[in-house]
Amino acid sequence: MADYSKLLEPVKVGKHIWRNRIVMPACETRLSNPDGSSSREMADYYGERAKGGAAAVIVENTFVDDKESRSSLVSSGIYNDHMIASHFYVAEAIKAGGAAAILQLSHGGRQAAAGATGLQPVAPSAVTCKFVQREPRALSKEEIVELEDKFAAAAVRAKMAGFDGVEIHGAHGYLICSFLSPYTNKRTDEYGGSEENRARFPRNIIKKVRAAVGDDFIVGYRISATEGVEGGLTPEITARFAASIQDDVDYINVAAGIYETMQQYIIPPNYEPHAMVVPFAKIIKEQVTKIPVIVVNSLNPDTAEKALEDGCADIIAMGRPLIADPYLPQKLKEGRREDVRPCCRGHEGCVSLFFSGCPIRCEVNPACGREREYVLKETEDPKNVVIIGGGVAGMEAARYGAEVGHKITLIEKTDQLGGHFIEATRPSFKEDHKNVLEWLIRQVQKADIKIMMNTEATPELVRSLQPDVVILATGSKYVSIPVKGIEAALTPDKVLKKTASVGNKIVVIGGGLVGAETALELGNEGKDVTILEMLPGIVMQDEPLSQISLMNHLAAANVTCMTSCKVVEIKDGNVIYEDAGGKQNSIAADTIISATGLKADTDASAPFADCAKKVVTIGDARQAKKIFECFHQAWQVIREL
């Protein structure tokens, strides 16, 4: 196993020495107050990442004026002097944890959400963003100069609030990025046209910020190396620009994408490759020789160490990994790589709540956004707890329960821990989820937990253990639709675990997450796959980025998706269905897979209702959902003991 010596090595940034090469990049938390000021929850959240060992914490997308600059419903703001005091708490918490405190300054530009300000968005030119679908108005030259000054004034406020530096957000299609990009800048004055003119706005901001804060204050610049759209920024353009500003800033933070390519480059879900920005960062680093280059985007400790060793970057930004485990840097320093809780890139909580402006949560770290409330402390009243079921909910309840000091017995009827999460992690694109499963099994096996494998729980056995509390985590079972001939269909677990043979022409009944992922795995194997879904869309329960990404990959794998189709019968290897118009059709298939959902296995949990004074049901045994509910309900039940 790697020793992560490069990651843990100090690095000079400006006139400062950072303790290692791991930073927390700007990720919106929605923990701000409605006016954009910081909350104590926000200070606790960022302070925890600093205490966990990150060298620097870059506080999220902070808008600079009280006009159009706010990009989302609950953005951070530092647009007037009243904002200084609340942001002081955040800077103080970060520095108390031993990290450098950096505040990212931003303007939403053409991508600002409709509910953010109530105003028409502004941009260099009236080019509509295809994601937010709002036409912006072009800024006047007077407004452009005013905004340059607003960035400088915001930087001064950040310095007054106690931050060590600011990061100018010139990436992701926001206003500064849209000036640099030929895709969005169609101006014909001195702020548009040539590469030099398009760079005038960001260069002016950099110079005005530096003049306002002085040389001792860190000024960084975040850039999208590529926008991923035809006619947009390329690594060659951005490398030239980055090289031209390296005498005026202290680091370049390399990201990629705009909102129109968000699912691929900005916040890629588990269907997308890892470390896609690293090659772009290398191109920029070849031109930027005087200051450190940071790279971000789906990096774990191993890919991060390799990026440093290969000279692709000088510093690694880890957003979602530090959301999942704030103590990742400390654990690496202590030689505890196996204890780092992995991010599964499932987007529940961190991304799914973004579009409604609700506060950040994490599917594998229930303390995220509630650090003070969920501080880990040993119980003063240890209980004898019996947990029935070794799936995700049961294992996490056992792990967390043992960590706070309860006596835990975990009973699992099979020879494997993991429940339905086992088959869910089998597809090739579910590597991150598999890492979570392996981490959870490892932590349970390392903890002071009595594990009874291959053991059928009975009321007699449970009572003999004399529990104070019984936690039912008996899981769920596949359900099928009441259709004649459905017994000929396979369930997804048999397909994904490869315990049943599968033909070449396949029909998957059900286009929810399980059905779509099963279809994608088979499509990637070269099978001829068709999904039949009753609803008008595929994976409609997913947040937009995961849905877009999954649909793109289904198309690339040549999976046919047929929606608003109701299956009425399976007969002689044919699936008969009604389309949206009520017309009956049929599809011949070598293999039929019924992926119409899971439901709580109430038959498995019912016998244990009176086995202790307190009996609680969690996870899929309560209602079949995602691992978000499994982790969060596990913590809730242990915290309530």
Side-chain angles (χ1 to χ4, degrees), residues 324-591:
D325 193 337
Y327 288 83
L328 180 155
Q330 181 176 307
K331 289 176 181 178
L332 294 184
K333 186 177 179 181
E334 294 170 354
R336 298 169 52 211
R337 169 68 175 93
E338 74 280 0
D339 292 334
V340 173
R341 184 193 292 117
C343 165
C344 65
R345 299 202 295 164
H347 283 187
E348 290 297 318
C350 61
V351 176
S352 64
L353 297 174
F354 167 79
F355 299 99
S356 59
C358 293
I360 190 169
R361 295 292 184 259
C362 174
E363 54 204 304
V364 298
N365 176 17
C368 173
R370 298 178 284 189
E371 280 72 17
R372 183 170 303 201
E373 179 188 353
Y374 274 41
V375 65
L376 183 68
K377 56 185 177 182
E378 192 165 344
T379 181
E380 296 177 357
D381 183 20
K383 298 286 199 308
N384 181 17
V385 181
V386 172
I387 301 171
I388 304 173
V392 171
M395 283 194 288
E396 182 62 5
R399 185 200 68 79
Y400 186 55
E403 191 171 21
V404 299
H406 295 293
K407 179 184 176 184
I408 306 290
T409 301
L410 178 64
I411 304 173
E412 168 55 42
K413 67 180 179 181
T414 72
D415 62 352
Q416 284 185 296
L417 294 168
H420 286 305
F421 203 47
I422 296 172
E423 65 257 26
T425 63
R426 289 293 173 87
S428 54
F429 46 84
K430 297 297 284 288
E431 174 190 348
D432 298 295
H433 288 78
K434 185 178 180 182
N435 290 339
V436 171
L437 176 60
E438 291 175 349
W439 171 82
L440 193 47
I441 292 171
R442 191 163 56 244
Q443 298 307 304
V444 166
Q445 291 172 340
K446 288 174 65 173
D448 184 16
I449 297 168
K450 181 180 180 182
I451 305 173
M452 302 172 69
M453 300 295 296
N454 296 302
T455 302
E456 183 78 40
T458 63
E460 294 75 25
L461 171 61
V462 173
R463 291 192 190 99
S464 74
L465 297 170
Q466 300 181 312
D468 299 310
V469 180
V470 172
I471 298 175
L472 301 175
T474 47
S476 57
K477 56 186 178 183
Y478 287 100
V479 295
S480 61
I481 51 177
V483 164
K484 185 178 180 181
I486 193 68
E487 63 277 359
L490 298 174
T491 50
D493 57 329
K494 292 181 172 63
V495 176
L496 294 172
K497 290 180 177 178
K498 300 192 183 301
T499 58
S501 59
V502 175
N504 186 61
K505 189 170 176 57
I506 299 161
V507 171
V508 178
I509 303 171
L513 189 62
V514 175
E517 289 190 343
T518 303
L520 177 56
E521 179 71 356
L522 294 169
N524 286 340
E525 293 174 3
K527 308 284 189 183
D528 179 354
V529 186
T530 298
I531 298 174
L532 292 176
E533 168 56 47
M534 283 184 63
L535 296 176
I538 302 296
V539 288
M540 293 185 70
Q541 76 273 40
D542 259 14
E543 52 79 27
L545 304 189
S546 295
Q547 186 180 33
I548 293 168
S549 175
L550 182 49
M551 290 300 298
N552 287 344
H553 284 277
L554 285 168
N558 296 312
V559 173
T560 301
C561 298
M562 301 176 65
T563 56
S564 301
C565 293
K566 181 182 178 181
V567 174
V568 295
E569 187 178 0
I570 297 171
K571 183 179 181 182
D572 300 328
N574 288 278
V575 181
I576 303 164
Y577 67 94
E578 289 180 358
D579 61 24
K583 182 182 178 182
Q584 205 166 93
N585 305 272
S586 70
I587 303 176
D590 303 325
T591 303

Side-chain angles (χ1 to χ4, degrees), residues 60-299:
E60 62 201 81
N61 190 12
T62 301
F63 60 101
V64 297
D65 73 5
D66 58 358
K67 295 180 180 179
E68 299 95 350
S69 65
R70 188 174 203 157
S71 65
S72 59
L73 294 177
V74 192
S75 299
S76 166
I78 196 159
Y79 52 91
N80 66 33
D81 291 352
H82 295 292
M83 300 288 108
I84 295 171
S86 70
H87 285 293
F88 170 84
Y89 291 115
V90 176
E92 182 181 52
I94 293 169
K95 293 196 292 186
I102 311 293
L103 185 66
Q104 186 186 74
L105 304 178
S106 181
H107 189 299
R110 67 195 280 268
Q111 295 177 166
T117 66
L119 301 172
Q120 183 182 10
V122 296
S125 308
V127 178
T128 300
C129 170
K130 295 175 183 176
F131 188 88
V132 300
Q133 297 183 338
R134 301 177 71 210
E135 183 179 350
R137 66 173 180 85
L139 287 161
S140 68
K141 284 192 281 189
E142 292 76 18
E143 287 176 309
I144 293 170
V145 173
E146 181 185 356
L147 282 170
E148 293 168 359
D149 294 336
K150 292 284 188 181
F151 273 91
V156 171
R157 294 186 193 106
K159 188 173 183 179
M160 293 173 69
F163 283 89
D164 299 302
V166 293
E167 178 178 274
I168 298 166
H169 197 348
H172 295 163
Y174 294 121
L175 184 66
I176 298 174
C177 178
S178 68
F179 266 87
L180 187 64
S181 171
Y183 179 65
T184 45
N185 188 342
K186 308 298 183 183
R187 299 178 75 95
T188 56
D189 60 11
E190 64 266 39
Y191 285 96
S194 68
E195 210 169 289
E196 181 70 22
N197 282 354
R198 295 198 313 272
R200 191 177 306 279
F201 181 56
R203 282 206 185 97
N204 286 353
I205 289 173
I206 292 166
K207 288 174 182 175
K208 289 181 178 182
V209 166
R210 176 60 80 195
V213 297
D215 292 336
D216 292 337
F217 195 69
I218 294 171
V219 177
Y221 190 92
R222 193 172 207 192
I223 194 165
S224 277
T226 179
E227 293 180 297
V229 293
E230 187 175 348
L233 290 171
T234 65
E236 292 71 30
I237 295 172
T238 53
R240 285 193 294 270
F241 172 75
S244 75
I245 63 171
Q246 62 182 319
D247 289 327
D248 301 309
V249 299
D250 296 305
Y251 68 77
I252 300 289
N253 187 350
V254 182
I258 58 177
Y259 273 23
E260 291 165 28
T261 55
M262 194 189 306
Q263 81 285 349
Q264 184 177 5
Y265 288 121
I266 300 180
I267 321 172
N270 56 269
Y271 309 109
E272 303 295 338
H274 292 80
M276 285 187 289
V277 177
V278 170
F280 306 142
K282 186 174 184 181
I283 293 170
I284 289 175
K285 183 167 165 51
E286 287 169 355
Q287 299 294 320
V288 176
T289 57
K290 299 178 181 179
I291 56 174
V293 170
I294 302 175
V295 68
V296 71
N297 194 285
S298 299
L299 290 150

Side-chain angles (χ1 to χ4, degrees), residues 5 24 33 54 58 90 151 306 324 353 581:
S5 57
M24 175 81 189
N33 295 314
I58 305 171
V90 176
F151 273 91
K306 186 175 189 306
L353 297 174

